[in-house]
């Protein structure tokens, strides 16, 4: 009864998946959700419905929580600073969180920390875009600094003209983050947990496979050299320390011939860590709760030599229950996770995980299950 209460701002699938971890630990989980029908609001009894951009709603919610944490990063830092001043414990704190909210701020800070990044510049007009592209070579990548997800807000542009209409649609005075286009062999993610005490734990480096800007698959461990893996992990730990992150923290990276390069940061449990529910000794959701409560962290080693996670994206079929039955019957080793979300084409509505001895086998089985749920009836179309 005296165990602490963790308040999660946001009612998405990440908050939802913290619930079983909280039950196991015996801590109370509270959720601030926009709608009573949100993914986490369906399964967590202690829900407040409110908008996290409304300071009063946030303040009311925080009253019943020993620590405030997040399901997503889109919470105004000025609200969080006020709450902190009123004595609310916010983890990660606003000074760290801003680096996951604003990609331009993130690039500037990582450059200060001497973390390898693509060449970058903040640009605010067509001439600056042209200048940057001529300098680093075309094509370049342009990003809206704030509010992007699943590749929305990211464009590969071949020329300044190519960027013109987009820039115009953003309105006068808009600035963009321009990046050199990195030629990578694969995309990686490193998950770290860090507690207010400064204890840190790092998970094995994973490969993330993106299709049309959306994460499709995660493969653990990534098939990379020991040298690149160690370097990726130490970069992630260095950033967590440098930014004073508390909680679970994910660093997306590019693996290149010349070494690893950082793409972006997330300060919460992350899609690249869903595999840890069955695939690691401590899931990222339990680890996040431990970290924000300043408890000792759990073991991060894998439960099997190989783990694969496939996201279940919405397809044309709104009712996935038929495919769901098939998946269970076809392969009793597949772990299915559904988020209680309405199916819309391309929307992440669940994920599946397989663990085993063989990398190719676990990947094929996870893919098959995810494709089948989506409605690709032979389970092979990707
Ligand atoms: N500088 C770059 N060079 C090459 N490819 C890039 C670069 N930046 C981004 N990409 C590609 O675009 C994808 C999306 O970029 P980014 O992760 O910045 O956007 P996002 O919308 O915030 O993503 P998320 O879905 O992770 O929130 C990356 O996973 C990568 O495939
Ligand atoms: Mg990304």
């Amino acid at each position: 009864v005296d165990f602490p209460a963790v308040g999660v701002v946001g009612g998405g699938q990440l908050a939802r998946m913290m619930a079983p971890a909280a039950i196991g630990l015996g801590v109370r989980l509270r959720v601030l959700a926009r709608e009573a029908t949100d993914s986490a609001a369906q399964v967590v009894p202690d829900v407040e419905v409110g908008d996290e951009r409304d300071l009063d709603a946030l303040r009311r919610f925080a009253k019943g929580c020993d620590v405030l944490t997040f399901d997503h990063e889109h919470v105004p830092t000025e609200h969080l600073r006020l709450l902190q001043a009123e004595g609310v414990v916010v983890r990660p704190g606003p000074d760290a969180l801003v680096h996951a909210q604003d990609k331009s701020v993130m690039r500037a800070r990582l450059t200060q920390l001497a973390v390898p990044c693509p060449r970058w510049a903040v640009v605010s007009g067509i001439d600056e875009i042209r200048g940057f592209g001529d300098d680093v070579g075309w094509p370049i990548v342009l990003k809206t600094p704030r509010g992007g997800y699943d590749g929305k807000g990211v464009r590969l542009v071949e020329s300044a003209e190519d960027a013109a209409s987009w820039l115009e649609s953003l309105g006068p005075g808009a600035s963009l983050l321009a990046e050199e286009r990195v030629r990578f062999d694969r995309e990686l993610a490193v998950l770290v947990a860090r507690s207010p005490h400064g204890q840190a734990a790092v998970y094995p480096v994973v490969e993330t496979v993106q299709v049309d800007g959306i994460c499709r698959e995660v493969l653990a461990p990534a098939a990379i050299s020991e040298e690149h893996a160690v370097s990726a992990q130490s970069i992630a730990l260095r950033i967590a320390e440098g930014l004073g992150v508390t909680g679970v923290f994910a660093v997306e990276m590019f693996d290149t011939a010349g070494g690893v390069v950082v793409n972006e940061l997330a300060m919460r449990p992350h899609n690249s860590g869903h595999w840890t529910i069955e695939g690691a000794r401590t899931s990222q959701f339990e680890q996040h709760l431990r970290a924000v409560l300043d408890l000792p962290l759990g073991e991060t080693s894998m439960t099997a030599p190989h783990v694969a996670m496939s996201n279940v994206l919405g397809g044309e079929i709104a009712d996935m229950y038929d495919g769901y039955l098939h998946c269970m019957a076809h392969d009793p080793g597949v772990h299915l996770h559904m988020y209680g979300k309405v199916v819309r084409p391309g929307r992440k509505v669940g994920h599946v995980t397989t663990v085993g001895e063989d990398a190719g086998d676990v990947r094929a089985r996870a893919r098959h299950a995810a494709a089948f749920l989506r409605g690709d009836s032979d389970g092979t179309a990707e």
Side-chain angles (χ1 to χ4, degrees):
V1 188
D2 292 321
F3 278 33
V6 176
V8 187
V9 179
Q13 64 263 29
L14 301 177
R16 180 183 175 108
M17 288 186 274
M18 287 180 209
I23 291 169
L25 292 171
V27 300
R28 277 201 299 136
L29 194 74
R30 309 192 63 230
V31 167
L32 178 67
R34 290 263 185 96
E35 314 274 348
T37 51
D38 284 354
S39 182
Q42 295 168 18
V43 301
V44 173
D46 196 349
V47 179
E48 274 189 42
V49 175
D51 192 315
E52 70 284 353
R53 294 164 298 187
D54 169 4
L55 178 60
D56 287 330
L58 211 50
R59 191 183 268 133
R60 254 196 320 275
F61 176 67
K63 277 214 165 62
C65 306
D66 294 290
V67 54
L68 207 62
T69 190
F70 310 97
D71 163 89
H72 61 76
E73 285 108 356
H74 309 299
V75 185
T77 38
E78 58 275 19
H79 290 0
L80 297 175
R81 290 212 172 84
L82 277 171
L83 291 182
Q84 266 188 332
E86 293 167 11
V88 176
V89 180
V90 182
R91 293 177 180 153
D95 294 335
L97 193 66
V98 66
H99 301 92
Q101 293 175 329
D102 187 312
K103 288 177 178 172
S104 299
V105 173
M106 178 265 298
R107 282 284 175 240
R109 185 75 180 106
L110 294 188
T111 302
Q112 264 181 0
L113 292 172
V115 166
C117 289
R119 292 171 69 187
W120 64 277
V122 175
V123 293
S124 51
I126 208 74
D127 294 336
E128 287 180 20
I129 292 175
R130 185 176 296 112
F132 180 79
D134 288 346
D135 204 21
V136 305
W138 300 94
I140 60 167
V141 177
L142 289 177
K143 304 183 175 186
T144 52
R146 283 178 174 263
Y149 66 98
D150 288 349
K152 294 177 181 62
V154 175
R155 305 262 167 121
L156 185 72
V157 299
E158 301 290 339
S159 66
E161 291 65 41
D162 204 11
S165 64
W166 191 38
L167 191 65
E168 258 167 46
S169 74
L170 296 174
S175 70
L176 291 170
L177 173 65
E179 292 180 357
E180 140 198 20
R181 185 228 200 148
V182 178
R183 295 293 192 166
F184 52 78
D185 297 325
R186 55 181 74 72
E187 294 192 60
L188 305 174
V190 186
L191 203 66
V192 166
R194 186 172 175 278
S195 72
H197 258 87
Q199 190 195 358
V202 60
Y203 286 85
V205 181
V206 300
E207 175 172 355
T208 64
V209 181
Q210 258 74 227
V211 180
D212 299 331
I214 300 183
C215 176
R216 266 299 172 90
E217 296 176 277
V218 175
L219 310 170
I224 56 173
S225 69
E226 180 68 13
E227 189 196 340
H228 282 207
V230 167
S231 141
Q233 287 181 318
S234 68
I235 287 170
L237 287 165
R238 189 144 58 87
I239 299 171
E241 174 77 31
L243 301 186
V245 180
T246 48
V248 162
F249 165 62
V251 185
E252 296 179 3
M253 301 186 190
F254 301 126
D255 186 34
T256 77
V260 297
V261 174
V262 170
N263 175 26
E264 62 158 348
L265 315 177
M267 287 183 199
R268 48 172 169 75
H270 191 248
N271 197 173
S272 66
H274 292 354
W275 66 274
T276 59
I277 295 174
E278 291 88 10
R281 301 275 166 213
T282 309
S283 84
Q284 65 165 344
F285 301 102
E286 174 173 342
Q287 197 76 297
H288 186 67
L289 295 175
R290 287 187 184 220
V292 300
L293 287 168
D294 208 7
L295 294 167
L297 302 176
E299 246 192 80
T300 55
S301 55
M302 295 179 63
T303 58
H306 291 282
V307 182
M309 190 282 319
S310 257
N311 278 328
V312 178
L313 302 181
E316 298 307 321
I317 297 174
D319 181 0
M320 290 195 169
Y321 205 61
D322 272 345
Y324 180 83
L325 294 179
H326 163 89
C327 284
M328 288 184 186
H330 180 76
D331 187 346
V334 172
H335 301 279
L336 295 107
H337 296 261
M338 301 302 293
Y339 306 153
K341 288 161 72 173
V342 174
V343 173
R344 279 202 300 267
R347 189 182 200 199
K348 288 176 190 166
V349 295
H351 75 267
V352 299
T353 302
T354 50
V355 305
E357 304 295 317
D358 182 77
D361 174 64
V362 292
R363 184 177 187 181
R365 286 163 54 208
R367 256 193 191 196
H368 173 88
F372 210 95
L373 286 168
R374 178 191 171 94
D376 298 338
S377 56
D378 63 356
T380 54
E382 276 295 289

